[in-house]
């Protein structure tokens, strides 16, 4: 890290807005609303889009049970074998663990559901259940998109911290799973620890992160317990979850990730059970088959977690990806991806388990019209399907290879629109507007511009973007044809120069730095006080 | 018109694709497929997204009947009053026509449904019924977006012809309603006639157009009958519909448009009954209320059309738009627009009438990330809702003020993705893939790359974009970081230099030019032979 970013006079909530001239009126009307009357918020209920029928869901479920019973999983580590056989799984001569259907069904029945994923700040708590929708980041991009140079460069620890700080102020991004890996930190322990540190110091929203090996979990837990003010506090409100790729599709356990999973379960960290097969490569090319395999894999993980600790919070993380079958390359921005993700949302609902899957991954390398429609289509369908946790939904490009800080800011507007669509249409006597229409037509001015209903609904029913442009061509020309990317670049620079979240007090940060020494590589950045 | 575009050696279907190196394999695999195995096509069944419940639909219907009965319409012209009172509407002392509910219900029952909108080429015929989805253009933009100069310039007759020629070869744009007005032709008759001429000469797909006044319909009919080879032929397969704004919302007839409507009904032209209120300005700000008013208005139009000629084909064209209530400006790219359009799709289905509404209008002035997500969200929701005719879905910017030829090409890919999403997920025994997964895991290579299922589904289940970019960052860098807009510019230039549809024979064009003299202002452009 070359630059320390000490800026003692700023606050966490310093999200400001453009103003000037006619803008003043817009700004005033666009000023923050009380949470209960905001047109969009975290946890709105989706589910009006159903990619699958009830019969489809049941057939997928049956296929899943068959596969778990007959094919099962290879490559279980000894502690995994021990835990799974103890609860009734069988370990075959062919080295595969198989799951009797009664074991799977009883696990589904008894697994943790309707739990909360906590933020460091309780206002960011997420109740992940039913068809409640939350958008957030995720990924392991190895590049940052430099939109000014139109270049991909290696992602650094500072980028993770910067992304966290941006997300802290973006209302429609509800959680922050680490979206990049710090290429400047080659050592796995250093990398895991500092990634986590950069995330939890950068945002008070719920954080997701990964660990390379089991041994790296202990120092992370020590850090988290310290920030929480004690182990009990963390266990009561765990504000970090473990994004865990416990499976190497098709149907094999990932040894290192399983070790991490066991350590996280023991330490009180919720698990995102992440199955990331790629249709046509590591999962069937048939969309239904890719869903079947993903569900089977995640349910195996769910049995594993519950064998270790009954009722430990786990997210049903069916994340099947898509291949462009002409090249074998991943295509995160494809229609097939939107369908896979939406189907997975319904499978989670079928089991009444908190579901997480991926949407918003653009194939396009830059924030351009292609990435816009790829993100728009996939994120709105995930939301309308009622997916509880929509990972990868902001900032991601090049099918997970490049993360873009400017896109975070732009995507926040897009996700606001998606949330407005998720919220849907209120059909009440008042909303049907018979009286309003009658009055306007029969006695009124013949239009609704100054109508009482119009003024009342202006803030509660209509979503207004923060940076997107709704000028007429004439206004747009008069303003010098503003470019959205340029606006996002400026907003990013302003926020990163001024927002230094200080939810972790300075004296605690001092203690952590003393305790962990060289392990902390992110320079002090204005936290504490 | 300054440039004539004679290019006698080209054909209608000369859509070519990039090739070279590794591209050859991609191109081969992306070669046109037989219609029956293509992953997407016109008329796929939507309806898996339902913005409204059955109860909502019934409440809207009831509110509509109440409004038609109690408020009715002002400003009917004498022939309209005559036609409507003849079938049972009342003409009040206050000058308003009111519609008894029995009249409305019997009209709905007896109106034309399940009809076909024809193309000049029957392969482009559209069966508009049920939840069958078709995407197309529309609009009355007064500007063309010049993406090279980042400029809005006045739209010209040549632009309409060029848009038609582009659409002719874009598979996922199924019809061509005139998207711009020719600013170089001030005289209304010249404008109407040449707009129609440019459309029908530019594409063999179904065309929609408008007329300014009743008197302009006759020469247009003469033109159309001539192209069809006689009036009977046109009446049997009308390949042009009239986009008719017969209503000035709220609840007033538009006098000139009503005259046009009567002439089109008499002449055998299907009517798009277009109600284009703007929520918060000329329609209620409440989304449900805007839907109520639009449905009431279109049903009044439907009674009118059926009073003139029972069973005349009419499209249920509820097109409520959205205001940004902070400024009163239209916001076609908004979430509220997506909801309005999707709700209207369901109301058409509720009546089993062919529905048309608008989606894909970006607020953004240029083809950028904002226009991408605005278009993506609104067009996919319209498709998933099963809207029969999705107008404005390609090329439109600045909330209908600017049309972009390059966006047509880019949006064609986006609409292909939308259609793939509409098509949905096949859940069959084969697609569930139990055997495939078992084989790959137990006996196979542990992946699906060369699997028989993968190869079989590669072309039938997966949609591949024509111009969008799926390169990895590395490939993308090696190729010089191709820009999608630049690709679209090149594709546009190539197509416009080579595609001169010749479905109207040269000798007929000669006759038309002889007959209509100076009325035809588009230079001969390679049609005929």
């Amino acid at each position: 890290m070359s630059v320390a970013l000490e800026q003692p006079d700023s606050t966490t909530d310093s999200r400001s807005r453009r103003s000037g001239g006619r803008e003043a009126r817009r700004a005033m009307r666009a000023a923050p609303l009380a949470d209960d009357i905001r047109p969009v918020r975290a946890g709105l209920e989706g589910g009006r889009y159903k990619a699958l029928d009830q019969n489809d869901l049941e057939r997928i479920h049956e296929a899943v049970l068959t596969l778990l019973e007959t094919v099962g999983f290879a490559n279980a580590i000894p502690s995994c074998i021990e835990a799974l056989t103890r609860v009734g799984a069988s370990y075959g001569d062919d080295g595969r663990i198989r799951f009797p259907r009664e074991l799977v069904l009883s696990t589904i029945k008894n697994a943790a559901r309707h739990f909360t994923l906590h933020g460091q700040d309780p206002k960011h708590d997420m109740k992940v259940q039913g068809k409640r929708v939350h958008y957030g980041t995720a990924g392991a991009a190895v590049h940052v998109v430099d939109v000014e140079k139109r270049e991909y460069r290696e992602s650094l620890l500072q980028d993770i911290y910067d992304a966290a700080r941006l997300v802290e102020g973006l209302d429609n991004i509800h959680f922050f799973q680490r979206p990049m890996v710090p290429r400047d930190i080659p050592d796995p322990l250093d990398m895991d620890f500092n990634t986590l540190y950069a995330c939890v110091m950068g945002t008070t929203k719920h954080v997701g992160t990964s660990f390379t090996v089991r041994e790296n979990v202990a120092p992370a837990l020590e850090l988290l317990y310290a920030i929480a003010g004690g182990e009990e506090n963390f266990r009561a409100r765990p504000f970090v979850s473990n994004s865990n790729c416990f499976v190497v599709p098709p149907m094999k356990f990932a040894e290192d990730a399983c070790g991490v999973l066991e350590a996280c379960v023991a330490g009180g960290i919720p698990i995102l059970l992440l199955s990331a097969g790629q249709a046509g490569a590591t999962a069937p090319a048939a969309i239904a088959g890719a869903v079947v395999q993903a569900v089977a894999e995640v349910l195996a993980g769910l049995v594993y977690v519950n064998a270790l600790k009954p009722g430990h919070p786990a997210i049903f993380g069916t994340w099947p990806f898509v291949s462009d079958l002409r090249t074998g390359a991943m295509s995160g921005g494809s229609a097939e991806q939107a369908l896979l993700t939406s189907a997975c949302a319904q499978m989670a609902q079928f089991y009444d388990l908190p579901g997480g899957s991926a949407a918003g991954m653009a194939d396009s390398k830059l924030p351009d019209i292609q990435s816009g429609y790829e993100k728009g289509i996939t994120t709105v369908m995930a939301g309308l399907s009622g997916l509880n946790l929509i990972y990868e939904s902001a900032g991601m490009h090049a099918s997970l290879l490049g993360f873009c800080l400017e896109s975070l800011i732009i995507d926040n507007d897009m996700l606001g629109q998606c949330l407005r669509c998720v919220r849907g249409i209120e059909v009440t006597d008042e909303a049907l507007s018979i009286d309003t229409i009658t009055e306007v037509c029969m006695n009124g001015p013949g239009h609704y511009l100054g109508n009482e209903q119009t003024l009342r609904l202006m803030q509660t029913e209509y979503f207004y973007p923060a940076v997107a442009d709704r000028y007429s061509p004439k206004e747009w020309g008069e303003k010098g044809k503003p470019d959205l990317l340029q606006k996002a670049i400026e907003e990013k620079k302003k926020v990163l120069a001024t927002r230094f979240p200080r939810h972790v007090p300075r004296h605690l940060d001092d203690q952590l730095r003393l305790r962990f020494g060289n392990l902390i590589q992110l320079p002090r950045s204005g936290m504490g006080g």
Side-chain angles (χ1 to χ4, degrees), chain A residues 145-459:
Chain A
V145 184
D146 182 328
V147 294
E148 294 186 84
K149 295 185 182 162
R150 297 184 89 241
E151 244 174 44
Y152 273 53
R153 65 162 173 82
E154 292 204 335
S155 49
L156 308 175
L157 180 62
Q158 181 76 40
D159 297 315
I160 298 173
Y161 182 57
D162 290 349
R165 292 192 294 145
L166 286 169
V167 164
E168 177 69 4
L170 295 169
D171 282 348
N172 305 314
I173 304 177
H174 305 128
F175 61 92
F176 183 72
Q177 184 151 306
R178 76 92 163 81
M180 296 167 271
V181 293
R183 302 287 291 280
D184 47 341
I185 310 190
D187 176 75
L189 173 60
D190 287 1
M191 182 182 78
D192 288 352
F193 188 88
N194 279 282
T195 296
L196 175 63
Y197 181 81
C199 293
V200 297
M201 291 294 176
T203 181
T204 62
K205 298 185 180 180
H206 184 81
V207 159
T209 195
S210 293
F211 301 103
T212 315
V213 291
R214 182 196 299 258
E215 293 69 29
N216 295 3
V217 177
L221 283 170
E222 202 181 326
L223 174 79
L224 296 175
Y225 295 164
I227 291 174
E231 177 172 345
E232 285 312 297
N233 290 351
F234 181 81
R235 286 180 179 273
R237 295 183 41 84
F239 51 82
V240 170
S241 53
N242 170 229
S243 173
N244 193 294
C245 292
F246 69 98
V247 54
V248 180
M251 312 288 274
K252 297 184 294 292
F253 282 110
E255 303 188 10
D256 281 339
C258 287
V260 170
L261 182 147
E262 295 182 359
C264 287
V265 169
I269 297 181
I271 306 290
L272 165 60
L273 288 165
L274 203 166
S275 150
Q278 193 174 313
T282 56
I287 291 175
V291 174
V292 164
Q293 184 180 301
V295 171
E297 289 171 343
V298 171
L299 287 181
L302 195 69
V303 175
Y304 183 17
V305 166
N306 281 275
L308 294 169
K309 186 174 171 190
H312 186 83
I315 299 153
F316 187 78
T318 41
W319 287 31
F321 293 129
V322 167
S323 305
D324 184 314
L325 295 181
R326 298 168 302 180
T327 62
M330 185 177 147
S331 176
S334 62
E336 294 80 12
Q337 182 66 63
L339 291 169
L340 276 171
T341 298
S342 302
C344 287
Q346 280 189 271
M347 287 310 299
Q349 291 156 17
F350 180 79
Y351 296 126
D352 191 19
L353 291 170
S357 191
M361 304 161 287
D363 291 335
S364 182
K365 264 53 67 189
L366 296 170
D368 62 3
I369 186 169
Q370 179 186 336
S371 80
Y373 75 68
E374 292 176 329
K375 285 166 176 273
I377 291 171
T378 54
T379 53
V380 83
M381 285 174 65
L384 293 173
S385 69
L387 183 60
N388 301 133
L389 295 159
I390 306 178
Y391 293 93
E392 313 277 15
S393 65
M396 196 53 85
H397 289 269
S399 276
L400 302 185
L401 291 173
F403 193 78
C404 177
L405 297 175
E406 287 80 5
S407 286
L408 272 181
I409 293 166
I410 296 168
D411 292 350
N412 180 60
D413 275 349
M414 173 187 75
L415 296 176
Q417 296 218 168
C418 291
L419 286 163
R420 181 64 191 87
C421 293
V422 167
R423 174 174 155 181
I425 302 172
E426 193 183 28
V427 181
T428 59
D429 282 342
E430 208 290 311
L432 287 166
S433 308
I434 295 179
D435 293 346
T436 304
I437 296 171
T438 303
E439 178 66 19
V440 162
C441 290
M442 305 289 283
N443 312 312
H447 63 76
Y448 301 80
L449 284 170
N451 191 276
E452 177 275 331
Q453 185 196 56
T454 304
L455 298 174
R456 186 160 35 80
L457 299 181
M458 189 171 74
Q459 295 197 307

Side-chain angles (χ1 to χ4, degrees), chain A residues 79-133:
Chain A
S79 52
C80 176
I81 296 170
E82 192 280 320
L84 287 172
T85 53
R86 185 164 34 78
V87 294
S90 70
Y91 183 59
D93 293 341
D94 59 356
R96 298 189 79 91
I97 296 260
R98 292 183 172 80
F99 304 80
R101 78 166 38 208
E102 299 71 31
L103 172 59
V104 177
L105 294 174
S106 73
T107 297
I108 293 168
K109 186 171 166 217
N110 298 316
R113 46 173 52 85
H114 306 183
F115 55 82
T116 296
L117 288 177
H118 299 272
Q120 288 180 72
D121 185 331
K123 79 178 175 193
H124 296 307
D125 285 0
M126 301 182 290
K127 293 184 76 165
V128 285
Q129 65 185 60
K131 296 172 182 174
R132 290 168 56 91
V133 173

Side-chain angles (χ1 to χ4, degrees), chain A residues 15 18 409-411 413 464-469 484 487-488 491:
Chain A
R15 187 89 205 289
R18 256 147 240 90
I409 293 166
I410 296 168
D411 292 350
D413 275 349
Y464 304 105
V467 295
D469 170 25
L484 183 57
K487 269 171 92 170
E491 175 74 6

